[in-house]
Amino acid sequence: MDVGLVLMGHHGSWDDALYAESRGFHTAGFVDSPLIAADPFVAMTLAAERTSTLRVGTMLAIPSNRNATALVTAIGTVNRLAPGRAFLGIGSGFTGRAVFGLKALSVERFAAYVAQCRTLMAGGEVVHEDGAESRPIRLRHVASRYVDCAEVPVYVAADGPRALGLAGQLGDGWITSLQRSHMMGNSAAVFADSLELVRQAAAAAGRPQHPGYTMASAGFCVLEEGESALSERALEHVGPYAMLGFHAYADNPLLADHLPPPFQERLDIYKERVLARFDVPSDRLYQEVHRGHLSHLLEREEEVLTEEIVRMTTLTGTAEEIAVVLRNLEQAGLRNMTLNPPPHLVRQAVDDYAEKIAPLLAH
């Protein structure tokens, strides 16, 4: 199994990517969330320039953030700089849209965007819409001078059934957050079931070889013997990731009935101790709840989490426990586990994986 990182494009993330490469990491995916993270393509370019084997890409590009021509030209520029090392991960949007007060894109709109990107990258023609005007366009760059996107793989992010079908129909690979699983419990079984849906959709579309590359992302913390998943150290590493379900609820309270019971039991505490502290109208909450996204806990968020929620949502356990989960995921078909450390703990996470997990997996 390959191992990678999700990076927020923080200042110095390009040097962290180089450090990860030196410790055996294979990929670095950059977050596309313009109101809370740095520009992914600037950071990605600097990372590509410094590294020699690390694959770099978006994780995940959000369709509403730029039109298809801008996206494929950007990733093609990176691939021209680092031939064969760029990948294009595309998602329907969580925080990348939530910070605008928007929901994730519909599957139909998501599918149309992915198809448009693939057609452009293959040299084909698409219809570009600008207001009331629609015009057929295609990439017209001088060959090899500016971009190289013909061989850039497209990885489709999906967790729900309809999106999983799209990953099979249009993706060269599939990215999952395993959000419908218990990470330290049944994640391998959930992954296997989802992968089967992707494969069925690919076969129905006449693409039996897809998905070619499978990736999963997770918060990550190696606990010491006897250490609680709620220790101050553990929450610094994975608390921001474990809070994502609560942030989704804050954006859309109608999700409450669809959250697992351990989350439902803590919603009142989240509302009373965190949401009530934000000095904004209720229709502006989305401006506040995501400020710590994959970075840090907001004030009193640590009081919301339980040990069960942390272990359910993140790759948190002893080294031996984590190794068992990863072996099971690998046997189920996972090719890449991508870690989501906070920006200030990237190198610590890299070292923990390289020194505590990789040796167990090697044996």
Side-chain angles (χ1 to χ4, degrees):
M1 181 188 294
D2 294 344
V3 62
L5 291 171
V6 169
L7 297 170
M8 296 281 283
H10 57 273
H11 187 77
S13 60
W14 36 90
D15 292 323
D16 288 343
L18 174 61
Y19 183 78
E21 179 185 75
S22 74
R23 303 233 60 184
F25 277 56
H26 302 85
T27 58
F30 291 81
V31 170
D32 184 18
S33 196
L35 293 180
I36 56 173
D39 183 87
F41 290 100
V42 173
M44 197 187 313
T45 298
L46 291 170
E49 189 177 39
R50 284 162 169 75
T51 56
S52 57
T53 61
L54 194 74
R55 299 181 61 222
V56 296
T58 50
M59 202 160 178
L60 301 154
I62 307 303
S64 55
N65 286 351
R66 58 187 67 77
N67 65 42
T69 59
L71 179 60
V72 300
T73 295
I75 198 65
T77 302
V78 175
N79 196 53
R80 184 69 183 85
L81 174 67
R85 292 200 285 128
F87 64 88
L88 180 58
I90 309 179
S92 60
F94 171 43
T95 305
R97 284 177 58 82
V99 289
F100 287 88
L102 302 171
K103 297 179 181 179
L105 294 175
S106 68
V107 172
E108 291 76 14
R109 185 177 169 190
F110 184 34
Y113 185 85
V114 174
Q116 193 173 48
C117 289
R118 290 193 64 94
T119 299
L120 286 168
M121 294 166 72
E125 182 179 275
V126 303
V127 175
H128 175 72
E129 297 181 0
D130 184 5
E133 295 188 78
S134 297
R135 302 291 294 172
I137 61 166
R138 64 197 320 143
L139 298 184
R140 299 287 76 189
H141 304 92
V142 174
S144 78
R145 182 177 295 170
Y146 303 110
V147 303
D148 177 12
C149 57
E151 301 299 325
V152 176
V154 176
Y155 301 151
V156 175
D159 284 290
R162 295 182 66 202
L164 289 169
L166 174 61
Q169 294 162 19
L170 294 175
D172 298 310
W174 164 48
I175 300 174
T176 176
S177 67
L178 291 170
Q179 65 182 16
R180 295 168 182 258
S181 76
H182 187 301
M183 180 62 73
M184 297 303 295
N186 68 348
S187 55
V190 172
F191 177 86
D193 290 344
S194 297
L195 179 58
E196 180 58 26
L197 293 178
V198 176
R199 286 174 170 162
Q200 290 175 6
R207 311 174 73 232
Q209 73 276 23
H210 292 291
Y213 197 67
T214 54
M215 306 177 74
S217 61
F220 169 72
C221 181
V222 182
L223 300 178
E224 302 298 332
E225 289 295 336
E227 183 181 10
S228 167
L230 293 179
S231 71
E232 183 177 353
R233 186 188 73 87
L235 288 182
E236 185 180 10
H237 279 263
V238 296
Y241 197 99
M243 285 299 302
L244 296 184
F246 291 103
H247 297 168
Y249 162 78
D251 293 330
N252 181 11
L254 295 178
L255 291 176
D257 292 340
H258 302 283
L259 292 171
F263 277 83
Q264 293 179 0
E265 295 165 3
R266 307 294 289 182
L267 291 180
D268 286 341
I269 292 174
Y270 179 53
K271 289 186 289 186
E272 294 167 3
R273 302 185 188 180
V274 179
L275 297 184
R277 298 175 65 85
F278 295 140
D279 188 22
V280 295
S282 60
D283 64 352
R284 298 291 197 281
L285 275 178
Y286 63 87
Q287 296 181 358
E288 302 297 323
V289 297
H290 300 283
R291 287 186 294 109
H293 180 68
L294 299 181
S295 172
H296 58 279
L297 286 170
L298 301 182
E299 188 175 359
R300 301 195 73 175
E301 282 188 332
E302 72 280 359
E303 299 174 20
V304 177
L305 296 171
T306 66
E307 184 144 351
E308 182 177 10
I309 289 174
V310 171
R311 289 174 62 87
M312 173 187 295
T313 56
T314 69
L315 198 60
T316 298
T318 64
E320 290 76 13
E321 288 176 323
I322 291 173
V324 168
V325 171
L326 293 180
R327 286 194 199 100
N328 291 339
L329 283 166
E330 183 175 35
Q331 291 172 3
L334 184 64
R335 294 279 307 280
N336 180 302
M337 175 54 78
T338 296
L339 312 179
N340 283 249
H344 66 291
L345 293 174
V346 169
R347 298 198 186 197
Q348 182 62 63
V350 168
D351 287 343
D352 285 347
Y353 187 92
E355 296 170 8
K356 300 177 181 180
I357 305 301
L360 294 179
L361 296 179
H363 292 303

